[in-house]
Amino acid sequence: MKEIKRPLIEPKEADFIKAFYWDTSALFILDQRRLPSKELYYRADTLRKVRYSIREMLVRGAPAIGIVTAIGVYIGLKEAQAKLTFPLTQKALLRVFAGLEKSLSTARPTAVNLFWALKRMKEAFQRSLGKAPGEKVSKKTFKELLESLRNEALSIWEEDLRANLKMAEYGSDLLPEGGILTHCNTGALATGGYGTALGVIRRAFEKGKKIHIWVDETRPFLQGARLTAWELSKLRIPFKIITDNSAGYLMKRGEVKAIIVGADRIAGNGDTANKIGTYSLSVLAKEHGIPFYVAAPSSTFDLNLTSGEGIPVEVRSEREVLFCGGRPIAPEGSQALNLAFDVTPAENITAIITEQGVISPPYRQNIQNLLRDG
Ligand code: MRU
């Protein structure tokens, strides 16, 4: 099957670690639950399967969730086509679109990229519909509409890859040599390719900086131990996995020169939601005078929120905590609280690296300046 590709991405910059690929029949998603032992792609050719892939974390990481959501809108509308009778009213078509939005918007709550992508797809849908005069939508108009949604989803993907390459360039100059600590997975697996925080690490290494990476295992889903370690091995970047609770003592011993993480949602004042455990790292970094960087594209900013207080924090199944590798690790009947994210206050963040430049405090003003006017 021919993969859908556009010439806009330079081959040398395209990524060899693929979280998903898209051909004319379906979206194929690398099932990250099975990494590193199995590299299996899940065939998502219906809205339900795309939603399931996001919800159950076959695909995860804020930018990747956004891209897959955008492709999901296209897949969902294409799927709906068979059940529609043409010509149909614009009102009926809007109802179909609202159904897709509702389904995808409830897949996961914290990564704002999901909602950002839905908004982009809706705007593309409305633009395309606006071009078709009359109240009725013909089969031909519907096909054109699908085509414009496919193009919009591809643009979202390409923009993300470009943003990652830019962030990598800006961020790699900031990273010192020595031990760099990262949390969760922010690499090609979590994005449209290359990565955000891990992309910065990758570029610094490519530029010849002498770094080695402390990989937080990131309980309970083990994005660090399973996914970041998998990417770093492929890239031949030196690393060691540490248990999440080792980070503080390593900092005390002077073995961490900088921390860099990604983000799921950044409020207008710089407060940042990211994988649970990020907040503790930021407090420890402050205590030990270690720079704490966040790398995220502008699609991760939520300027509707004035602070991190309004960020919805996902609570996932307690099974993820109580079981490991399918086996129970706690007495039967134990309960667990599984907060998937936390919010790091802006004052703990040294700088935020975006594709539009590096943002330093004071964040409220500088985020406005760079993202609203930039
Ligand atoms: O629950 P996940 O694995 O989707 O959480 C991912 C993270 O917290 C990442 O750090 C964040 O999305 C940035 S990915 C470039």
Side-chain angles (χ1 to χ4, degrees):
M1 209 58 81
K2 219 168 123 331
E3 198 177 324
I4 296 174
K5 260 204 188 127
R6 287 205 294 189
L8 289 173
I9 300 167
E10 300 265 322
K12 70 175 166 53
E13 289 169 339
D15 217 302
F16 68 94
I17 301 169
K18 277 191 171 32
F20 43 83
Y21 63 94
W22 189 14
D23 73 19
T24 43
S25 70
L27 177 65
F28 292 84
I29 297 172
L30 180 59
D31 188 346
Q32 297 188 27
R33 297 170 307 179
R34 291 166 173 259
L35 287 175
S37 45
K38 287 208 171 80
E39 293 180 27
L40 291 174
Y41 281 84
Y42 173 79
R43 188 173 193 275
D45 58 351
T46 62
L47 177 72
R48 196 180 56 78
K49 288 181 185 168
V50 173
R51 185 182 187 279
Y52 166 83
S53 306
I54 299 171
R55 175 75 217 134
E56 297 304 319
M57 292 172 67
L58 283 70
V59 62
R60 27 74 39 209
I65 289 173
I67 298 161
V68 168
T69 297
I71 298 173
V73 169
Y74 167 81
I75 288 177
L77 204 64
K78 195 168 167 225
E79 188 188 358
Q81 186 178 4
K83 292 183 216 123
L84 299 173
T85 318
F86 294 97
L88 87 161
T89 63
Q90 292 207 1
K91 217 170 157 188
L93 189 53
L94 282 165
R95 266 203 304 274
V96 173
F97 196 89
L100 302 176
E101 268 184 307
K102 192 168 172 213
S103 164
L104 289 165
S105 67
T106 51
R108 289 191 77 187
T110 305
V112 76
N113 306 60
L114 186 155
F115 306 94
W116 172 87
L118 278 178
K119 187 163 171 271
R120 281 270 305 254
M121 293 303 278
K122 185 159 192 182
E123 283 162 4
F125 172 81
Q126 283 166 335
R127 263 197 316 275
S128 181
L129 204 58
K131 278 192 213 142
E135 167 59 12
K136 297 276 185 179
V137 178
S138 66
K139 198 159 190 171
K140 182 169 167 279
T141 306
F142 187 83
K143 283 225 153 77
E144 286 163 3
L145 206 131
L146 271 179
E147 185 60 17
S148 58
L149 289 185
R150 190 180 76 98
N151 284 334
E152 187 69 3
L154 280 169
S155 298
I156 288 173
W157 187 350
E158 284 171 2
E159 284 167 28
D160 186 65
L161 179 50
R162 283 178 195 289
N164 290 345
L165 296 170
K166 277 249 167 78
M167 278 184 272
E169 221 37 71
Y170 294 135
S172 52
D173 292 334
L174 293 176
L175 281 194
E177 300 206 318
I180 309 293
L181 192 143
T182 192
H183 192 62
C184 197
N185 171 267
T186 58
L189 287 174
T191 61
Y194 206 80
T196 59
L198 208 62
V200 169
I201 287 173
R202 188 168 163 179
R203 180 63 96 230
F205 181 75
E206 285 165 357
K207 282 182 173 170
K209 278 205 174 163
K210 292 188 179 31
I211 52 172
H212 63 90
I213 314 306
W214 297 115
V215 177
D216 260 1
E217 62 174 347
T218 319
R219 276 273 294 152
F221 197 72
L222 303 176
Q223 286 94 330
R226 296 188 304 105
L227 311 177
T228 299
W230 184 76
E231 288 200 41
L232 290 173
S233 329
K234 282 194 182 273
L235 297 166
R236 300 186 193 287
I237 301 176
F239 71 91
K240 274 203 176 110
I241 298 166
I242 54 168
T243 54
D244 297 329
N245 43 16
S246 306
Y249 192 51
L250 272 181
M251 290 184 214
K252 172 132 179 57
R253 290 187 356 176
E255 296 188 52
V256 178
K257 301 299 176 209
I259 298 173
I260 184 159
V261 296
D264 284 80
R265 197 185 287 232
I266 303 176
N269 69 342
D271 288 353
T272 295
N274 191 50
K275 182 52 55 196
I276 189 80
T278 304
Y279 167 68
S280 324
L281 287 175
S282 77
V283 174
L284 287 162
K286 206 173 188 181
E287 168 73 16
H288 295 93
I290 294 167
F292 184 92
Y293 298 114
V294 171
S298 44
S299 53
T300 302
F301 284 76
D302 184 350
L303 300 186
N304 294 320
L305 293 181
T306 52
S307 84
E309 265 178 43
I311 299 178
V313 170
E314 179 180 14
V315 181
R316 293 188 65 84
S317 160
E318 56 182 7
R319 272 191 72 86
E320 289 178 358
V321 176
L322 298 174
F323 288 76
C324 196
R327 294 193 177 177
I329 55 167
E332 213 182 317
S334 299
Q335 294 187 336
L337 172 63
N338 185 10
L339 297 174
F341 299 95
D342 58 28
V343 180
T344 296
E347 63 263 27
N348 290 4
I349 300 170
T350 310
I352 304 176
I353 302 153
T354 78
E355 79 278 22
Q356 300 191 33
V358 177
I359 310 177
S360 304
Y363 287 114
R364 195 181 294 285
Q365 196 53 48
N366 291 341
I367 288 173
Q368 285 276 340
N369 291 346
L370 196 76
L371 301 187
R372 277 251 157 92
D373 316 329

